[in-house]
Amino acid sequence: MMDNNAQYMDLFVDESREHISSLNDRLLELEQSPTDLDIVNVIFRSAHTLKGMAGTMGFQNMMHLTHQMENGLDDIRNHKREITPSIIDVLLNCVDQLERQLDQITSKGTDDGIDTSATLAKLAEAFGQQNPGGQESKTEPEAGANVPTLTLDPDTLSHVESQGKRAYCVRVTLEPSCSMKGVRAFMVMDAIGHVGDVLVSEPDAQQLEEGAFADSFDLILVTDASKDDVVSTISSVSEVLNVVAWELKSVPPTVDTPKSTSTPSTESPNVSKERTAVAPSKKTASKSIRVDLERLDSLMNLFSEFVIDKTRLEMITNQNKGVHGLSETVQHLSRVGADLQDIVMKIRMVPVESVFNRFPRMVRDLAKNLGKQVTLEIYGAETELDRTLIDEIGDPLVHLLRNSLDHGLETPEERNQSGKDSTGTVKLSAYQAGNHVFIEIGDDGHGINRDKVLKKAIERGLVDASRSATLTDQQVFDFLFQSGFSTADTISDLSGRGVGLDVVKSTIVSLGGDVSVDSTPGQGTTFTIQLPLTLSILQAMLVRLEDEIYAVPLNAIVQMDAVKRADVHSVHGNEMMHFQDRVIPIVYLRERFLLPSDHTTDLSVVILGKGDRRVGLAVDEFIGQQEVVLKSFGNYFRTSLPGISGGTILGDGDVALIVDPTAFIQ
Amino acid sequence: MDKHIVFQVANSKYAINATYIQSIEHMQKITRLPGAPHFVKGVMNIRGVILPVIDLCAQFGLGESQFTPDTRIIILSKDDISAGIIIDSTDTVIEIDTSVLQPFSNERLEDKFIEGLALTDQGTIVVLDVAQILGAESQQLDTQKGA
């Protein structure tokens, strides 16, 4: 049993998280349409599944809590009680507790130590008298009669038969007491995998793995094995109650129900209803598997090694042009490497939805606390980002959303006075453009008060009062990201203590991205986060300083120039150069990196660009363009070093530092 | 009794609990890290992982290490933090009972790196506190901020 627990723990945690997340979402939906019993049913089923899983794993507290939720929900299902705001609050509170229990289980392996008594009391109060026996819920009636619901089209079927194989429609029924249905279904699929190939299943593989089905599921199996073998193989999986197999033949002799026409009607109506009800958020049913994150990471690491060696090989090839066939082989290797990189990167991409899905709940609670009315609109949740970025952007986004609610949006009274709808809107949208992903958080509040920000900036000595009038709005708003800067008049519980936006900025910058803010008085404020698609592998220009080699990310480079000393102008003590009809400042990388610099020679300048700002970065020499793998220095440094975003290993095994271009463009 | 690796830095004997030692490496190219604290020599490629390298001599306020053929890098790792330390030479491996270490206190700031003194048949050996050595960078930032 202990072995089983260890083996299923990850699955249990994953599945529970999904159910908890779904509970949150559905409860928020229910709050909007309190009479929709379909939603209640979905919530009920999630709670029921959680209860079963918790029970199997021996988490009594979690089981007890979900059991009580289930009882209350049952009353609603049976029209004994109506949904009230306080019931929603209590149920959301329960979900929070479940989440805490699950966290505790993840970290300590037990759900003890989370005090749920207050929640249980509130639950009992909201639902009035509880049925002490805790009436066991009935699972949904089984779909379909004793006929196969799945068929193959005649072409496929005859193809199968021409190979001397046979196709079966198999219905597997699990014991009603089986609580980890997903796990069992997975084991069944695994067992079948040894005797043949599964072509179709109803519900699909993903839902099967999630346990999103009643007690039985159907599948079509192509195999050499006999019907008896198939049945006995599946029956050997524990908690399988019953297995029925029908052989599918080109001219179906026994199957003549309306369902099995030659065009496959894969779903009977009540099955499809079940499906939409259980997993409404799954828009596309894709063929997918769960992969351990550690394996993904080690795949990435191995691939990084590959890229380093590939680069080294390219170097060797250039030095040994005479070797027959070497250069062709290396070229081919490079192409394969590029394709491989594409795939590895794609595997690591995760929809931002996994971060966004906790925000509706958070915004609702915050709005309640603040006494504001807010609608959160989410766009582009399907936009994908590298997994490492997903892990990091949660906190900055939470901060910006809180900021919008707390500072951006007005109270309903203020909104009415300025002729706006009393309900404010916060838009959270994600989209991809080029090699970047953008996430915008926009509100329709009162906007940022430019004068107030300026006043504060002058007070703090960030800008000279005489220069203030010449600053663009953009430059003024940028002060908000300075550390310790807050314009809030009152310090609230949430924000306004001057910590925050600077942390948001430094987090995003450390991810190779940037954050900016735009605002129109009276109409609202929008924060825009720009992130790179992937972190780890980038194109860079290698440059030399003395005997040191540095890598400058190519996406920040506008152009590279050789500049004659005579073309360097001194403006107000700063060295400047001409670039595309503009005069731009020159930064000596030597000085930034604490090496002596010479201000009399001609210069090799990398022109860096960010937005419409340009800076010329003077280096000793350009070495050439190369693909580099960004590696961190581990956790020894608590903050990043100015101007350096990490290191990379060059073909000869030496470490080259990667320059952080944003540090030079101010 | 815990196994400790004994090594020399600036003519003194130091020991570190072997639990925290990942490997002992020969000296190789160190890439300078502009802007890092003075005792961080730079970063080094340890089999595909880039790690900071600390000059223990400098960290203890005893000047800079002079590299010789005996110079080694000991890779330390504790609580997810890893770094290499430069030492003059490795000495031996001994068992030390850390529960009976003799306290060592002096007024110098660098003494925080010392867990205590072990009196062995090989003489007095300074047992180092790995957490302090690996945490020195962040503490330095704190004191800078505090100043």
Side-chain angles (χ1 to χ4, degrees):
Chain A
M1 191 59 208
M2 276 320 288
D3 279 354
N4 273 353
N5 274 359
Q7 191 182 348
Y8 296 138
M9 193 61 175
D10 287 350
L11 260 177
F12 166 76
V13 170
D14 275 2
E15 285 190 19
S16 302
R17 281 218 192 287
E18 276 167 26
H19 281 291
I20 288 172
S21 161
S22 148
L23 278 175
N24 249 325
D25 292 350
R26 296 307 146 247
L27 281 169
L28 292 182
E29 270 177 35
L30 191 62
E31 189 171 38
Q32 298 307 314
S33 36
T35 52
D36 191 339
L37 282 184
D38 282 349
I39 304 181
V40 177
N41 275 325
V42 178
I43 296 173
F44 177 85
R45 242 173 269 141
S46 271
H48 179 67
T49 312
L50 271 173
K51 182 182 85 173
M53 294 196 302
T56 319
M57 302 296 290
F59 299 124
Q60 296 297 327
N61 297 325
M62 197 170 186
M63 191 172 97
H64 186 60
L65 180 55
T66 40
H67 182 68
Q68 297 304 328
M69 286 172 76
E70 204 183 66
N71 281 343
L73 288 161
D74 209 32
D75 282 357
I76 297 165
R77 286 210 307 180
N78 298 329
H79 306 278
K80 288 188 196 150
R81 203 169 289 280
E82 306 243 304
I83 293 284
T84 61
S86 69
I87 285 185
I88 297 272
D89 281 342
V90 167
L91 288 174
L92 283 171
N93 190 258
C94 290
V95 176
D96 288 345
Q97 294 288 10
L98 286 175
E99 207 166 353
R100 257 169 240 141
Q101 286 176 333
L102 191 61
D103 286 346
Q104 178 97 347
I105 288 169
T106 319
S107 59
K108 301 199 177 125
T110 167
D111 62 350
D112 287 342
I114 306 286
D115 184 12
T116 51
S117 54
T119 309
L120 286 170
K122 272 193 251 167
L123 195 62
E125 189 188 331
F127 286 106
Q129 206 75 36
Q130 285 294 316
N131 180 352
Q135 182 196 343
E136 204 47 44
S137 61
K138 299 279 178 292
T139 38
E140 294 302 294
E142 217 177 290
N146 276 335
V147 286
T149 52
L150 294 172
T151 55
L152 277 181
D153 66 87
D155 287 350
T156 317
L157 204 50
S158 56
H159 181 69
V160 166
E161 286 174 350
S162 73
Q163 289 183 319
K165 298 189 180 210
R166 277 174 286 187
Y168 298 101
C169 176
V170 184
R171 169 164 302 157
V172 182
T173 309
L174 301 177
E175 284 174 14
S177 61
C178 170
S179 39
M180 304 274 287
K181 287 188 292 183
V183 176
R184 292 303 164 208
F186 176 79
M187 290 172 72
V188 167
M189 292 304 230
D190 192 48
I192 296 176
H194 294 297
V195 294
D197 298 316
V198 175
L199 295 191
V200 200
S201 70
E202 174 56 50
D204 64 46
Q206 190 178 354
Q207 293 184 29
L208 279 183
E209 224 174 283
E210 287 166 1
F213 54 94
D215 290 333
S216 69
F217 56 94
D218 295 358
L219 49 91
I220 286 189
L221 173 70
V222 173
T223 175
D224 298 325
S226 72
K227 191 156 137 183
D228 288 348
D229 282 350
V230 171
V231 171
S232 69
T233 304
I234 301 173
S235 303
S236 68
V237 176
S238 58
E239 291 193 280
V240 169
L241 182 69
N242 184 19
V243 183
V244 189
W246 297 270
E247 185 169 354
L248 300 175
K249 297 199 169 140
S250 302
V251 185
T254 55
V255 184
D256 51 33
T257 59
K259 278 173 190 162
S260 26
T261 50
S262 57
T263 35
S265 81
T266 46
E267 299 167 343
S268 62
N270 58 351
V271 170
S272 89
K273 190 179 169 198
E274 174 96 344
R275 187 164 153 181
T276 43
V278 174
S281 64
K282 299 279 180 279
K283 279 156 205 106
T284 51
S286 55
K287 288 180 194 161
S288 61
I289 53 163
R290 285 175 203 270
V291 181
D292 191 339
L293 284 180
E294 274 176 27
R295 287 192 197 167
L296 264 190
D297 284 344
S298 65
L299 176 66
M300 188 66 205
N301 285 339
L302 286 172
F303 184 70
S304 306
E305 301 287 314
F306 173 84
V307 170
I308 292 165
D309 286 348
K310 185 196 78 181
T311 310
R312 171 96 180 112
L313 210 52
E314 284 166 354
M315 256 166 64
I316 296 172
T317 312
N318 284 336
Q319 291 156 4
N320 300 277
K321 291 227 160 70
V323 183
H324 179 73
L326 179 61
S327 113
E328 289 77 12
T329 313
V330 171
Q331 268 178 24
H332 183 248
L333 188 74
S334 302
R335 278 200 301 276
V336 172
D339 291 348
L340 207 69
Q341 180 182 338
D342 260 11
I343 291 172
V344 173
M345 288 300 164
K346 278 194 193 118
I347 292 177
R348 291 174 54 87
M349 299 295 259
V350 180
V352 289
E353 188 183 5
S354 55
V355 184
F356 284 9
N357 61 16
R358 62 173 147 137
F359 293 147
R361 174 69 201 283
M362 189 193 89
V363 166
R364 170 199 178 270
D365 290 357
L366 260 180
K368 269 204 160 172
N369 282 342
L370 292 166
K372 292 179 180 179
Q373 294 167 14
V374 183
T375 316
L376 175 69
E377 294 176 7
I378 293 182
Y379 302 94
E382 71 285 353
T383 311
E384 292 186 323
L385 260 184
D386 191 277
R387 215 207 88 228
T388 25
L389 289 166
I390 291 278
D391 292 345
E392 300 290 333
I393 58 165
D395 288 347
L397 286 180
V398 166
H399 211 99
L400 290 176
L401 278 173
R402 290 185 155 202
N403 198 68
S404 287
L405 261 79
D406 201 12
H407 298 318
L409 290 179
E410 314 90 329
T411 59
E413 300 78 47
E414 286 167 343
R415 290 183 69 90
N416 281 332
Q417 276 167 20
S418 46
K420 293 182 183 175
D421 189 337
S422 58
T423 302
T425 306
V426 172
K427 275 187 196 156
L428 176 63
S429 39
Y431 56 92
Q432 185 187 335
N435 267 328
H436 293 278
V437 166
F438 294 85
I439 301 177
E440 292 181 355
I441 296 118
D443 63 60
D444 62 349
H446 48 57
I448 299 172
N449 187 329
R450 178 193 155 106
D451 294 337
K452 213 155 125 187
V453 176
L454 254 185
K455 188 162 158 266
K456 189 101 183 199
I458 295 168
E459 271 172 27
R460 309 196 100 242
L462 295 171
V463 65
D464 196 62
S466 60
R467 259 194 74 213
S468 62
T470 65
L471 294 177
T472 62
D473 282 354
Q474 199 60 54
Q475 284 168 317
V476 173
F477 297 153
D478 273 354
F479 289 128
L480 291 171
F481 296 109
Q482 299 272 353
S483 103
F485 202 96
S486 172
T487 59
D489 297 325
T490 51
I491 288 176
S492 77
D493 183 32
L494 299 166
S495 42
R497 272 175 298 218
V499 287
L501 283 182
D502 58 324
V503 178
V504 169
K505 174 115 178 173
S506 66
T507 309
I508 300 292
V509 166
S510 73
L511 297 173
D514 198 16
V515 56
S516 62
V517 56
D518 198 17
S519 180
T520 314
Q523 289 182 29
T525 308
T526 300
F527 285 89
T528 306
I529 295 175
Q530 180 189 336
L531 291 166
L533 265 187
T534 60
L535 273 182
S536 330
I537 299 186
L538 49 126
Q539 287 289 333
M541 173 58 63
L542 298 188
V543 300
R544 188 178 59 79
L545 288 189
E546 198 95 41
D547 58 350
E548 299 171 349
I549 294 176
Y550 292 88
V552 185
L554 214 58
N555 60 12
I557 300 179
V558 180
Q559 195 175 317
M560 295 187 300
D561 261 342
V563 178
K564 293 252 178 293
R565 178 50 59 177
D567 295 329
V568 176
H569 311 284
S570 179
V571 180
H572 195 62
N574 299 314
E575 285 186 26
M576 311 283 278
M577 60 177 273
H578 279 282
F579 176 70
Q580 293 176 346
D581 305 329
R582 291 165 62 177
V583 178
I584 64 169
I586 297 175
V587 173
Y588 285 79
L589 192 58
R590 275 175 162 270
E591 287 177 5
R592 287 299 185 93
F593 285 169
L594 313 168
L595 290 170
S597 61
D598 184 345
H599 290 250
T600 59
T601 55
D602 295 344
L603 297 173
S604 297
V605 179
V606 177
I607 314 252
L608 300 176
K610 178 176 142 190
D612 52 1
R613 283 176 277 186
R614 298 284 179 272
V615 164
L617 190 66
V619 300
D620 288 9
E621 187 194 4
F622 310 133
I623 297 175
Q625 186 181 328
Q626 198 178 73
E627 193 165 70
V628 299
V629 180
L630 174 67
K631 297 202 172 207
S632 78
F633 304 144
N635 298 327
Y636 178 73
F637 296 105
R638 205 177 45 171
T639 52
S640 55
L641 298 165
I644 297 166
S645 58
T648 186
I649 296 170
L650 298 175
D652 58 7
D654 284 357
V655 177
L657 301 182
I658 297 178
V659 172
D660 168 20
T662 55
F664 300 97
I665 316 174
Q666 289 306 333
Chain B
M1 296 292 261
D2 284 327
K3 203 167 268 179
H4 281 66
I5 309 272
V6 180
F7 54 88
Q8 301 248 0
V9 173
N11 294 320
S12 295
K13 279 191 178 180
Y14 294 90
I16 281 181
N17 191 329
T19 321
Y20 305 123
I21 297 182
Q22 273 193 342
S23 62
I24 300 176
E25 309 283 338
H26 279 267
M27 195 63 190
Q28 46 172 311
K29 190 172 169 192
I30 296 179
T31 301
R32 187 179 66 96
L33 207 51
H38 72 280
F39 51 83
V40 177
K41 268 279 170 198
V43 289
M44 189 182 258
N45 169 13
I46 304 292
R47 285 180 293 278
V49 179
I50 302 181
L51 286 180
V53 180
I54 303 164
D55 186 341
L56 264 196
C57 223
Q59 186 156 43
F60 293 166
L62 306 170
E64 262 188 52
S65 288
Q66 301 301 313
F67 299 160
T68 70
D70 285 335
T71 304
R72 294 287 182 278
I73 312 279
I74 297 183
I75 309 298
L76 299 179
S77 185
K78 184 170 195 255
D79 299 336
D80 270 357
I81 301 180
S82 301
I85 53 171
I86 302 173
I87 56 147
D88 290 346
S89 63
T90 49
D91 199 298
T92 175
V93 179
I94 57 167
E95 298 276 344
I96 295 179
D97 184 352
T98 46
S99 61
V100 296
L101 288 183
Q102 188 177 314
F104 178 83
S105 79
N106 206 312
E107 293 305 303
R108 297 190 328 144
L109 185 67
E110 286 78 15
D111 296 341
K112 67 167 184 242
F113 300 120
I114 296 171
E115 197 172 319
L117 301 181
L119 308 175
T120 70
D121 46 6
Q122 300 182 35
T124 305
I125 295 177
V126 182
V127 179
L128 293 175
D129 184 338
V130 174
Q132 288 290 338
I133 292 173
L134 291 177
E137 191 270 342
S138 50
Q139 281 163 15
Q140 157 146 344
L141 285 173
D142 286 343
T143 50
Q144 276 174 352
K145 272 181 188 160

